Amino acid sequence: MRWTALLSVLVELHNNGDDAQNGWKPHVYNAAIKNVRESCNVEITKKNIASRCKIFDKHYEIISKILSQSGFGWD
């Protein structure tokens, strides 16, 4: 649940253009921390968010590779 809360705010802020070339803008971390705390009543830090983003990136890379394989698609 808390990662869903985190993802929802990150997607929203990304769609608003609040991500930078090399990561998130500082206010994004504050918004994400606030959203997860309010939604899930869980303490979270910028370090927690950065760590989870690295995991999301790894999952994205794996899924992208799988979907790019010949014969594996949504056609």
Side-chain angles (χ1 to χ4, degrees):
M1 170 95 167
R2 62 187 140 160
W3 303 126
T4 303
L6 175 60
L7 271 176
S8 68
V9 74
L10 292 178
V11 167
E12 178 184 340
L13 292 169
H14 168 76
N15 290 340
N16 290 338
D18 287 327
D19 54 333
Q21 180 82 16
N22 58 349
W24 295 103
K25 293 180 181 178
H27 71 276
V28 171
Y29 289 104
N30 293 332
I33 289 168
K34 181 180 177 189
N35 188 50
V36 172
R37 284 181 180 166
E38 290 176 356
S39 300
C40 306
N41 198 26
V42 173
E43 285 300 313
I44 189 170
T45 65
K46 179 180 175 180
K47 186 176 178 180
N48 298 132
I49 294 170
S51 175
R52 181 53 58 168
C53 285
K54 287 181 184 179
I55 293 169
F56 291 154
D57 288 342
K58 286 180 185 177
H59 290 179
Y60 176 80
E61 287 176 29
I62 292 167
I63 292 169
S64 292
K65 285 180 184 177
I66 291 170
L67 291 175
S68 71
Q69 297 299 310
S70 176
F72 190 96
W74 304 104
D75 297 342

